[in-house]
């Protein structure tokens, strides 16, 4: 693999150095439009809020804003980042968990945002932070079951730390209503990287039944229903793309049918995807720094667990492509330079023979990659570049020794 968005990988590596994150603006915009137009076909009162936690680069957020997206933020700092990218008020959907009273002091200063609470105890802390409650509130419901690509990214069910168990949801909404909240939404996020369209329709069905149970008793109606993110991308060659059109049709049909049955009118249907919109638009270019013939053959890269944590964090797999495909293939383990034996990016994969100085590109590195980078072993966090219409520009520079030292200037 030797180009990204028509730009030569060698040119990018020599201009900005490695390891280097590169995003393709046309690709992320196309991802947004594909999802949005599929939804518009079946239910027009929909909104997409891009999940900042998956990629918090301000230029990436601006590209999504330009495409028409809204944004999801999961911490006070993400709210500030979203605002710096030009989002405000209702365009921001805030989701948190276990926030402190101080967090809520900040969050409640943005009362026109959509504020989604993870628990009844979160409502109590919000109330401690401000007596002027936002007019509108929603709660994240744990429907008792969840599904993600693997355990580490499953976010509902009895072991999940997220959401209010659905049996307790009524209690939360009643409390909010009695405290003076006037407008309501409901939210769910059951897991990430699902490629099965029918799963989403089942999840919507479950959430709508819970909404009916809660809202009918309290004589309120949902202004919006947020079904979360979780829309998957194929990380392996053998996997297929999520059939977005089918998924949009199935969730819209279920949603419309349930809204009619329960007398909910036409609430806003919200999706807050991260991975689907940005994963495959991101690449990590890295250079081979060492080749070792040990009990296994190890290819050492200048990118490792501090650059891209997903493989060592929860066993995620990312395809890796050699710049030069002409050499015969061999089976190798790919590792980084960090002082941990879990610093392995891929085990037993076949790659064309690599030598020191060769370039490789790690695919699907747009979501949950840069944002999880650390400066462990005091290796600097890499730079990020955007390529668009045959041009490229630095959108966040590499960390430097001065950046480390600046934290001591107080
Ligand atoms: C509350 C919430 N919304 C949205 C997302 C985005 O998920 P995904 O990137 O799978 O679409 C996440 C991810 O964990 C999340 O926790």
């Amino acid at each position: 693999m030797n180009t990204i968005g028509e730009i030569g990988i060698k040119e990018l590596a020599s201009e900005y150095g490695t390891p280097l994150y590169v995003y393709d603006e046309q690709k992320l915009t196309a991802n947004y439009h594909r999802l949005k137009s599929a939804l518009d076909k079946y239910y027009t009162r929909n909104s997409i809020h891009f999940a900042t936690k998956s990629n918090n680069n301000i230029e990436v957020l601006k590209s999504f804003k330009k495409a028409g997206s809204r944004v999801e933020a999961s911490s006070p700092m993400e709210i500030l980042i979203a605002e710096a990218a030009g989002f405000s008020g209702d365009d921001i959907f805030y989701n948190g968990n276990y926030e402190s009273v101080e967090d809520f002091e900040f969050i409640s200063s943005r009362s026109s945002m959509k504020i989604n609470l993870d628990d009844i105890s979160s409502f109590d802390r919000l109330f401690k932070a401000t007596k002027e409650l936002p007019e509108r509130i929603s709660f994240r419901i744990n429907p008792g079951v969840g599904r993600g690509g693997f355990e580490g990214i499953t976010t509902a069910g009895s072991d999940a730390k997220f959401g209010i168990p659905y049996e307790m949801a009524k209690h939360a909404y009643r409390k909010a209503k009695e405290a003076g909240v006037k407008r309501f939404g409901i939210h769910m996020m059951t897991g990430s990287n699902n490629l099965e369209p029918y799963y989403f329709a089942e999840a919507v069905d479950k959430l709508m039944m819970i909404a009916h149970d809660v809202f009918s008793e309290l004589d309120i109606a949902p202004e919006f229903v947020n079904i979360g993110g979780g829309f998957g991308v194929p990380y392996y060659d053998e996997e297929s793309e999520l059939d977005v059109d089918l998924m949009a049709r199935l969730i819209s049909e279920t949603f419309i049918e349930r809204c009619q049955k329960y007398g909910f009118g036409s609430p806003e249907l919200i999706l807050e995807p991260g991975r689907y919109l940005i994963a495959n638009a991101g690449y990590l270019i890295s250079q081979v720094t060492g080749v070792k013939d040990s009990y296994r053959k190890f290819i050492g890269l200048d990118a490792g667990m501090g650059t891209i944590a997903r493989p060592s964090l929860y066993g995620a797999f990312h395809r890796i492509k050699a710049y030069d495909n002409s050499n015969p293939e061999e089976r190798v383990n790919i590792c980084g330079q960090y002082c941990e034996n879990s610093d392995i990016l891929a085990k037993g994969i076949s790659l064309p023979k690599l030598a020191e100085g060769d370039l490789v590109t790690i695919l699907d590195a747009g979501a949950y990659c840069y944002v999880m980078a650390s400066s462990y072993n005091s290796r600097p966090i890499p730079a990020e570049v955007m390529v668009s219409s045959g041009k490229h520009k630095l959108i966040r520079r590499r960390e430097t020794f001065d950046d480390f030292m600046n934290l001591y200037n107080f």
Side-chain angles (χ1 to χ4, degrees):
M1 170 167 178
N2 42 36
T3 56
I4 298 172
E6 297 164 32
I7 315 277
I9 284 175
K10 262 200 183 139
E11 182 186 339
L12 292 166
S14 75
E15 178 147 356
Y16 302 106
T18 58
L20 179 71
Y21 278 101
V22 180
Y23 307 112
D24 179 338
E25 190 177 33
Q26 266 77 43
K27 214 162 173 177
L28 71 85
T29 305
N31 290 342
Y32 174 79
H33 288 307
R34 190 181 320 109
L35 182 59
K36 180 71 177 143
S37 48
L39 289 167
D40 285 347
K41 224 160 117 183
Y42 301 106
Y43 187 73
T44 50
R45 282 217 67 211
N46 69 73
S47 287
I48 296 177
H49 287 250
F50 170 66
T52 306
K53 72 196 78 175
S54 65
N55 189 313
N56 66 8
N57 190 294
I58 288 176
E59 295 301 320
V60 168
L61 293 189
K62 282 183 184 166
S63 299
F64 279 117
K65 186 164 167 46
K66 212 167 40 172
S69 183
R70 303 166 112 186
V71 77
E72 184 259 3
S74 62
S75 67
M77 190 83 99
E78 281 191 359
I79 294 169
L80 290 170
I81 292 169
E83 288 175 349
F87 295 95
S88 61
D90 203 37
D91 281 345
I92 304 177
F93 193 101
Y94 170 75
N95 267 313
N97 61 113
Y98 306 89
E99 300 93 332
S100 64
V101 173
E102 291 72 30
D103 287 335
F104 276 126
E105 278 166 8
F106 173 80
I107 291 156
S108 59
S109 72
R110 309 296 200 265
S111 60
S112 57
M113 283 185 319
K114 296 187 179 88
I115 298 175
N116 187 45
L117 301 176
D118 184 69
D119 191 30
I120 305 174
S121 62
S122 315
F123 182 78
D124 294 336
R125 289 196 301 284
L126 172 65
F127 207 28
K128 260 192 207 151
T130 175
K131 295 294 163 247
E132 274 179 51
L133 284 172
E135 219 183 275
R136 174 182 55 189
I137 268 179
S138 60
F139 287 100
R140 176 172 181 164
I141 308 299
N142 180 343
V145 286
R147 182 162 121 176
F150 47 87
E151 199 190 331
I153 54 174
T154 299
T155 52
S158 55
D159 284 334
K161 68 164 190 157
F162 300 104
I164 302 180
Y166 68 93
E167 302 92 332
M168 290 159 71
K170 250 180 231 171
H171 179 41
Y173 281 92
R174 181 173 294 116
K175 198 165 190 180
K177 188 181 171 191
E178 284 171 5
V181 176
K182 303 253 172 332
R183 295 155 58 204
F184 297 92
I186 192 163
H187 173 275
M188 169 186 74
M189 164 76 198
T190 59
S192 193
N193 204 36
N194 286 300
L195 288 163
E196 166 55 68
Y198 290 88
Y199 172 71
F200 294 100
E202 281 164 29
V204 169
D205 201 27
K206 185 133 203 189
L207 182 64
M208 294 302 278
M209 283 195 272
I210 296 167
H212 170 59
D213 184 41
V214 172
F215 286 49
S216 61
E217 191 171 315
L218 299 178
D219 198 24
I220 52 179
E223 189 175 305
F224 64 79
V225 176
N226 184 334
I227 64 168
F231 312 99
V233 296
Y235 283 92
Y236 294 86
D237 284 338
E238 312 81 76
E239 288 176 326
S240 314
E241 301 273 342
L242 172 68
D243 184 339
V244 172
D245 190 79
L246 177 60
M247 187 269 300
R249 181 166 69 75
L250 293 172
I251 60 175
S252 303
E253 279 173 4
T254 308
F255 184 72
I256 293 165
E257 202 243 307
R258 292 291 174 187
C259 283
Q260 282 167 356
K261 185 165 169 195
Y262 301 144
F264 283 166
S266 309
E268 191 181 352
L269 173 66
I270 299 178
L271 277 65
E272 46 183 30
R275 192 185 309 278
Y276 181 79
L277 297 181
I278 188 68
N280 71 356
Y283 303 82
L284 173 59
I285 304 175
S286 177
Q287 191 174 142
V288 176
T289 47
V291 175
K292 184 189 281 185
D293 276 308
S294 180
Y295 298 107
R296 311 257 180 275
K297 180 146 193 182
F298 286 95
I299 306 291
L301 303 182
D302 61 6
M305 65 189 292
T307 334
I308 177 163
R310 299 186 73 251
S312 61
L313 183 66
Y314 37 44
F317 176 75
H318 285 261
R319 284 167 292 187
I320 301 176
K321 301 285 176 195
Y323 181 86
D324 181 0
N325 269 330
S326 60
N327 290 330
E329 295 211 343
E330 57 178 3
R331 272 183 102 69
V332 292
N333 284 1
I334 306 285
C335 63
Q337 303 169 308
Y338 293 81
C339 298
E340 297 290 337
N341 209 35
S342 54
D343 179 27
I344 301 288
L345 298 187
K347 263 189 186 156
I349 60 165
S350 284
L351 276 180
K353 198 170 169 46
L354 289 161
E356 279 175 31
D358 285 350
L359 292 174
V360 297
T361 303
I362 299 167
L363 302 189
D364 306 311
Y368 307 106
C369 291
Y370 181 93
V371 280
M372 289 189 187
S374 77
S375 43
Y376 181 47
N377 282 181
S378 304
R379 294 222 172 252
I381 293 177
E384 292 172 295
V385 162
M386 180 79 86
V387 301
S388 187
S389 311
K391 296 198 175 86
H392 51 91
K393 70 168 182 189
L394 187 65
I395 55 170
R396 182 151 40 185
R397 65 167 171 77
R398 192 174 303 283
E399 204 175 25
T400 62
F401 179 63
D402 285 345
D403 293 326
F404 280 94
M405 295 312 287
N406 275 337
L407 295 176
Y408 297 97
N409 292 332
F410 46 85

